[in-house]
Amino acid sequence: MPELDKTYTPAEVEARWYQRWLDDKCFEADPARVSATRPAYSIVIPPPNVTGILTLGHVLNNTIQDILARRARMLGKEVLWLPGTDHAGIATQNVVEKTLKKQGVIKHRDDLGREALVAKIWEWKEKHGGIIIEQLKKLGASCDWSRERFTFDPDYNACVMRVFVDLYKKGLIYRGKRMVNWCPSSLTALSDEEVVMKQQKGFMYHFKVQVVEEPDTWLEIATTRPETIPGDTAVAVNPKDERYAHLIGKHVRRPLPLENQVSIPIVADEHIDIAFGTGVLKVTPAHDKADFEIGLRHKLEIIDVLHPNGILNDLAGKDLAGLERFEGRKKAVAMLTELGVLVKEEPHQNNVGYSERADVPIEPRLSEQWFLKYPSVKASQEVVASGEMKFHPERWAKTYDHWMTGLQDWCISRQVWWGHRIPVWYRGEETYCGTEAPQGEGWQQDPDVLDTWFSSWLWPFATMGWPEKTATLKAFYPTTDLVTGPDIIFFWVARMIMAGFEWMGELPFKNVYFTGIIRDKQGRKMSKSLGNSPDPLELIASFSADALRFGIMRSAPLGQDICFDEKNVELGRNFCTKLWNAARFRQMQGGETETEISAALLSSDDKWILLRLNTAIAEVTAALEDYRFSDATATLYRFFWSEYCDWYIEASKATLQGTDDKRKANTLAVIDFVLSNTLRLFHPFMPFITEELWHGMAFNADLPADQGGQTIMVAKWPKPLDADELAYFGILPEDEKTANDKYEAVNLGRGLKSTFNINKRVRFVLKPNAELPAHEIEVLRILLNAEPLDVDASFAPTQGTPSALTPLGTLFLPLDGLIDVEAERARIGKEVAKVESELEKVTAKLADEKFTSKVPQKVLDEHQQRKTDWQEKLAKLKEMMSALG
């Protein structure tokens, strides 16, 4: 085999292997290969925005998908990981509009018009779209790129139109005037799921209004939005509120606008919270969802005082008209003050809805929109409740069920131009809905486009050729797994389930894995605005793709938020280096690769590592089957770094440095067996370095192409040795104890050296419980770094010689000539005095009731822990002093 380079160069290896995988079509799925013995495994990528760039969230999500896909290949399945991108209507149009405004090309989208702006967006998409796809390739994503889809592909667009028409004809899609969430920046309606609630520090403004019929009676009203007073058409009180019940049916004078201080009624409504504010509510039906409902109940006038862009209009009055809504708020407060009706303003914190895409406060707005009554709700609810579709972690099933129980019709229309245009045309009183434009003059198509999610809810089957019954659809639908974030459980997951039942007659996926949110070390969500989100490509350049993948998976417990720390990526890089060096160590020993293991020549250490490998295979397999990715990485780390490298490889030097060639060859066979299995276990997590070492160690040499000869990607997933194999090798459970006893003796011996700060090779003496074979003594010597290790059953130590009682006998560390006993005794004496002083201080504090009765429990716990720590340190120092005699 060619010799591995001294150092691993990931950039070169990653580029070379990824291109090789593409050239060899390793990621491409073939439905013709699916059979009873080669079952299908499929997963569709959550399509990133076409103009998006790689984030740590993408790294987490796509690494998990890649792990699942790569392991499925190793299990002998035909794997389709279907990639693609989403046109992301509002987000993409926002990006392009901002760019054009910055370049001075437009001041407003109308300057270009619909067709020209859409053409500009297509130009932008062709230039910038798909960048994230190339970035995913750098991560090692093994998607079938020959099947890459885009939600604006012509055939995908045809699917969207077909579904709209189908639902329209079923009476599930309708047009109506409703109160919707409105984005004043994007000038479009938004669904509730596209609104992000943010805590805002503002003010509660208290103002008073005069009762018309009782001029001496004034009512105090509290509001956060005085700029909407010109839109008030009533004030409401709870009929059970004794303070105001006698006023119901009378009127108050609305203070704004100044030129139109009309009388508005006092109405009774049981929805008014008596305890909130003053108990008197200004009712603005055009600008608040709850007020709109009150307005419907009482048949109130609806006065909209805002333009769609958030500028106050003429109905707000001459003093406010033309002002931006927040400037209008300041002006309204000043006017109320001048009128002498502003009672007070108080700091107030409340939740304000923000447009998810444009990041501006939304406005409740009465608007004519298209709505959808959700289809296949019952089947979609039951499939999760019954456990036929499994959520990981399970707790999200309750969240899903709660949402599905309280469904409201989906506002599916958006007032932007980049999107699937609603396939409805009008001519006079005529309306036509169809997948093809109507013939004849005078027809005008509806200007609205569909919510982006209306196309992506079809993703699992529209990407596979539906409505045709394609070979791909037959082989790979329903898909196996879906990996996504819980923040889009309603946006996307629930809707895909409903779409799957409505048009495919079955569930779209069998398992849903919900990732956590990536946060920084302070617990803050990663975001560009906070500047706390590192660039994944920079991390890949610094540490390697494998290191980033391993590091992020090590910090990703099932369904919990991830505290990202670059140290985990650094650890991933160190792990790659360890793996590389372990392979080079094996190469340096020479000899034939992967020869047959002789049961008769196995040492206790050989048997121990084979048992530990068995445990690792079982644990990693179980963890992956349960979607516990961080548990799998923890096992891999423990097994390879600690058990294999730190213990077994060091122990094996007793044989490798010896003169018994047969035993040496057998140990090398064990090493090869372990390394071959280890590389396969690691491959889904760290695909590049494992592929390089698989070939570099020639583990592929004698394998058929489809079982690892061509690529480790299709090498068989490791299985633990079964009972017959363990019996053949003569491996018994007690063999693990034999080695563990030896390693415990080593740890105790190392502890003796550490106690006296000894870092060099020293003499140890073992007074054994029973006779030890020469080989075991040599292993002990190497692991203890002893020079020499004397085994003496009749050893009589001098008084004060440090010792440790081990499973193999008593281990002594003679200090003669190693340390200056008097100087060491003096040093330890000073340490003892210092520790006793600190212990005295903390004990006194804990005994002081003035202190313990005032401080929080957390502080008390910290002091108690400090006391325990000092006590333990004192005991250790006294033990050291005793050992010095």
Side-chain angles (χ1 to χ4, degrees):
M1 70 185 86
E3 189 178 332
L4 295 170
D5 292 337
K6 285 185 178 180
T7 54
Y8 177 51
T9 52
E12 183 275 326
V13 168
E14 290 170 3
R16 171 163 45 83
W17 273 114
Y18 202 85
Q19 191 56 52
R20 169 88 171 269
W21 292 330
L22 291 177
D23 293 344
D24 291 347
K25 300 184 177 180
C26 294
F27 307 152
E28 293 188 15
D30 183 354
R33 290 196 293 250
V34 174
S35 68
T37 56
R38 190 178 178 83
Y41 175 91
S42 54
I43 186 167
V44 291
I45 203 169
N49 288 359
V50 68
T51 54
I53 58 169
L54 197 68
T55 65
L56 284 176
H58 291 121
V59 171
L60 172 66
N61 188 296
N62 286 279
T63 297
I64 290 171
Q65 291 178 77
D66 199 38
I67 288 167
L68 293 169
R70 287 179 182 273
R71 180 167 178 266
R73 292 188 187 97
M74 298 178 83
L75 291 171
K77 297 179 181 181
E78 184 65 21
V79 173
L80 169 60
W81 181 12
L82 200 150
T85 50
D86 191 293
H87 66 282
I90 297 172
T92 304
Q93 183 163 326
N94 274 345
V95 168
V96 176
E97 280 191 43
K98 283 179 183 175
T99 303
L100 293 174
K101 286 174 184 174
K102 196 173 180 181
Q103 293 170 349
V105 176
I106 61 169
K107 289 185 178 177
H108 189 273
R109 68 177 75 160
D110 291 339
D111 296 343
L112 272 178
R114 185 174 198 134
E115 287 187 15
L117 180 64
V118 169
K120 287 284 185 187
I121 298 172
W122 273 110
E123 284 177 23
W124 176 270
K125 183 264 178 187
E126 294 306 320
K127 184 176 180 181
H128 300 279
I131 289 174
I132 193 168
I133 295 297
E134 295 308 309
Q135 293 173 330
L136 285 172
K137 291 176 181 178
K138 287 190 176 296
L139 186 66
S142 60
C143 299
D144 184 348
W145 301 111
S146 70
R147 296 174 182 269
E148 185 183 338
R149 303 305 302 272
F150 177 45
T151 51
F152 249 2
D153 287 341
D155 53 351
Y156 199 101
N157 184 64
C159 292
V160 177
M161 297 301 105
R162 183 187 181 99
V163 162
F164 183 97
V165 173
D166 181 39
L167 292 167
Y168 181 88
K169 288 180 177 177
K170 288 174 179 174
L172 295 175
I173 284 181
Y174 63 94
R175 201 178 187 207
K177 203 165 190 179
R178 296 275 190 86
M179 184 66 73
V180 298
N181 302 306
W182 183 264
C183 176
S185 174
S186 305
L187 300 178
T188 180
L190 304 171
S191 68
D192 288 345
E193 291 80 19
E194 292 168 294
V195 176
V196 178
M197 302 308 293
K198 296 186 180 183
Q199 279 203 338
Q200 299 288 299
K201 288 181 179 177
F203 291 91
M204 183 70 80
Y205 303 95
H206 291 247
F207 69 99
K208 61 184 180 179
V209 290
Q210 187 179 36
V211 178
V212 174
E213 291 83 356
E214 298 180 15
D216 292 335
T217 302
W218 294 77
L219 297 181
E220 187 175 323
I221 299 173
T223 180
T224 58
R225 302 201 65 188
E227 72 276 13
T228 64
I229 291 174
D232 292 353
T233 53
V235 297
V237 297
N238 193 306
K240 296 175 183 175
D241 193 334
E242 295 176 358
R243 295 172 295 176
Y244 310 119
H246 65 287
L247 297 173
I248 293 167
K250 296 183 179 180
H251 298 77
V252 298
R253 185 81 58 199
R254 188 183 66 196
L256 300 176
L258 297 178
E259 67 273 22
N260 189 24
Q261 294 181 328
V262 297
S263 297
I264 56 176
I266 301 170
V267 299
D269 200 288
E270 292 185 351
H271 288 75
I272 304 303
D273 184 352
I274 295 173
F276 181 75
T278 64
V280 183
L281 179 78
K282 64 188 281 298
V283 183
T284 323
H287 297 289
D288 183 274
K289 287 187 178 181
D291 290 10
F292 178 71
E293 297 298 326
I294 294 173
L296 289 179
R297 286 194 288 273
H298 297 278
K299 297 183 173 59
L300 299 176
E301 183 185 3
I302 297 172
I303 303 173
D304 186 347
V305 299
L306 283 170
H307 287 299
N309 61 357
I311 302 295
L312 286 153
N313 62 29
D314 290 342
L315 292 176
K318 59 183 176 58
D319 295 292
L320 295 177
L323 294 177
E324 191 274 332
R325 53 187 168 155
F326 298 113
E327 287 300 315
R329 183 172 302 173
K330 294 175 186 175
K331 178 69 174 175
V333 171
M335 292 168 70
L336 293 173
T337 304
E338 288 171 22
L339 286 170
V341 296
L342 186 73
V343 178
K344 61 181 175 180
E345 54 182 277
E346 299 175 318
H348 178 69
Q349 187 166 290
N350 64 337
N351 283 326
V352 175
Y354 270 67
S355 164
E356 183 189 38
R357 297 300 183 192
D359 197 33
V360 297
I362 57 112
E363 283 289 338
R365 182 175 177 79
L366 192 62
S367 176
E368 192 162 52
Q369 301 287 341
W370 288 93
F371 294 89
L372 166 66
K373 293 179 187 292
Y374 285 105
S376 298
V377 173
K378 188 178 178 184
S380 302
Q381 204 164 3
E382 286 178 352
V383 75
V384 176
S386 68
E388 184 183 350
M389 180 187 290
K390 292 181 170 57
F391 280 8
H392 308 272
E394 289 181 15
R395 68 174 184 274
W396 289 112
K398 288 183 181 177
T399 307
Y400 170 84
D401 188 68
H402 177 74
W403 186 76
M404 291 291 288
T405 303
L407 283 178
Q408 294 185 343
D409 293 354
W410 176 8
C411 176
I412 58 172
S413 49
R414 298 291 180 267
Q415 289 66 55
V416 292
W417 293 340
W418 174 247
H420 299 278
R421 192 148 175 198
I422 287 176
V424 174
W425 287 259
Y426 312 100
R427 183 171 66 180
E429 297 298 313
E430 293 181 87
T431 300
Y432 166 81
C433 176
T435 56
E436 303 292 336
Q439 300 301 310
E441 292 184 12
W443 288 99
Q444 295 288 324
Q445 188 173 1
D446 194 296
D448 290 353
V449 301
L450 288 161
D451 177 9
T452 295
W453 300 100
F454 191 89
S455 55
S456 58
W457 75 323
L458 314 176
W459 191 249
F461 55 88
T463 52
M464 295 190 193
W466 182 86
E468 301 301 321
K469 293 180 179 177
T470 63
T472 301
L473 205 57
K474 288 178 186 175
F476 295 109
Y477 188 93
T479 62
T480 314
D481 292 319
L482 177 75
V483 179
T484 187
D487 52 332
I488 55 174
I489 190 171
F490 314 126
F491 275 123
W492 195 45
V493 179
R495 290 167 178 169
M496 279 192 290
I497 297 170
M498 287 185 267
F501 277 108
E502 185 70 11
W503 289 287
M504 294 299 295
E506 60 182 324
L507 47 74
F509 24 75
K510 296 161 192 169
N511 299 283
V512 185
Y513 177 87
F514 292 104
T515 64
I517 294 169
I518 300 187
R519 301 185 182 277
D520 64 14
K521 284 184 280 187
Q522 296 176 43
R524 301 175 303 174
K525 188 175 179 179
M526 294 283 192
S527 73
K528 289 180 186 175
S529 58
L530 286 176
N532 63 347
S533 183
D535 181 348
L537 294 180
E538 289 180 5
L539 291 172
I540 289 173
S542 299
F543 299 106
S544 81
D546 287 331
L548 176 58
R549 290 166 62 114
F550 192 78
I552 207 161
M553 293 317 302
R554 195 165 184 265
S555 2
L558 172 60
Q560 294 179 30
D561 287 356
I562 291 107
C563 180
F564 179 78
D565 189 339
E566 197 171 293
K567 286 182 179 177
N568 278 324
V569 186
E570 191 176 336
L571 181 145
R573 179 187 61 189
N574 295 344
F575 205 91
C576 289
T577 301
K578 193 85 168 175
L579 196 56
W580 189 263
N581 288 341
R584 285 195 74 247
F585 172 81
R586 164 61 188 96
Q587 275 198 345
M588 289 163 63
Q589 308 310 310
E592 291 183 51
T593 306
E594 293 191 286
T595 56
E596 193 170 332
I597 297 172
S598 167
L601 297 175
L602 289 174
S603 68
S604 63
D605 301 293
D606 295 332
K607 292 179 178 182
W608 179 82
I609 198 61
L610 291 172
L611 285 168
R612 297 314 300 153
L613 174 64
N614 262 21
T615 300
I617 292 170
E619 286 181 6
V620 172
T621 300
L624 290 179
E625 286 174 356
D626 291 339
Y627 301 86
R628 292 181 287 108
F629 301 99
S630 64
D631 289 353
T633 55
T635 293
L636 289 168
Y637 187 87
R638 180 204 73 218
F639 169 73
F640 183 72
W641 194 292
S642 176
E643 294 169 350
Y644 178 73
C645 292
D646 288 356
W647 287 110
Y648 177 69
I649 286 298
E650 292 305 308
S652 71
K653 290 176 181 176
T655 300
L656 298 177
Q657 294 169 2
T659 57
D660 190 330
D661 290 340
K662 286 184 179 179
R663 280 193 176 277
K664 182 177 179 180
N666 204 56
T667 294
L668 292 177
V670 172
I671 288 175
D672 289 339
F673 180 80
V674 174
L675 275 180
S676 168
N677 278 275
T678 300
L679 290 177
R680 283 178 279 154
L681 283 177
F682 269 111
H683 176 70
F685 296 86
M686 305 166 78
F688 293 108
I689 191 169
T690 51
E691 185 76 271
E692 180 75 355
L693 290 175
W694 183 254
H695 291 263
M697 299 296 292
F699 291 152
N700 66 312
D702 298 324
L703 293 172
D706 62 351
Q707 292 180 27
Q710 182 182 17
T711 168
I712 191 175
M713 205 179 304
V714 290
K716 289 185 177 180
W717 182 254
K719 289 182 179 178
L721 297 171
D722 60 28
D724 289 342
E725 289 168 320
L726 289 170
Y728 171 78
F729 286 119
I731 299 174
L732 301 169
E734 48 265 36
D735 287 324
E736 195 162 15
K737 183 180 183 305
T738 301
N740 282 337
D741 286 349
K742 181 167 53 187
Y743 303 149
E744 186 182 341
V746 171
N747 276 329
L748 290 166
R750 290 172 178 174
L752 290 176
K753 287 174 70 175
S754 174
T755 299
F756 295 97
N757 299 317
I758 298 170
N759 299 312
K760 56 186 179 181
R761 288 188 177 187
V762 292
R763 175 180 176 237
F764 276 99
V765 180
L766 176 65
K767 191 172 184 178
N769 296 333
E771 191 173 340
L772 285 172
H775 175 77
E776 299 292 355
I777 295 170
E778 179 60 7
V779 171
L780 269 175
R781 185 192 68 76
I782 289 171
L783 293 176
L784 280 168
N785 200 21
E787 194 60 58
L789 170 62
D790 294 332
V791 179
D792 184 353
S794 59
F795 181 68
T798 57
Q799 186 180 0
T801 301
S803 66
L805 194 60
T806 81
L808 303 181
T810 307
L811 190 64
F812 295 93
L813 176 62
L815 295 175
D816 305 347
L818 287 176
I819 59 171
D820 182 330
V821 175
E822 289 306 316
E824 188 67 12
R825 193 180 281 118
R827 182 187 71 79
I828 294 171
K830 288 179 183 176
E831 281 284 309
V832 167
K834 179 185 171 185
V835 170
E836 285 177 337
S837 171
E838 293 296 335
L839 183 57
E840 192 177 322
K841 286 180 197 172
V842 75
T843 302
K845 255 197 170 178
L846 287 169
D848 183 355
E849 283 189 23
K850 289 181 182 177
F851 172 75
T852 56
S853 62
K854 289 180 182 178
V855 298
Q857 185 62 42
K858 185 181 176 183
V859 175
L860 274 178
D861 292 344
E862 286 173 357
H863 277 72
Q864 190 58 56
Q865 184 59 48
R866 212 174 292 167
K867 180 181 177 181
T868 302
D869 292 344
W870 286 124
Q871 284 173 332
E872 288 176 357
K873 190 163 185 180
L874 183 61
K876 185 80 174 171
L877 288 167
K878 286 184 175 178
E879 185 185 323
M880 290 168 65
M881 187 69 88
S882 172
L884 291 172

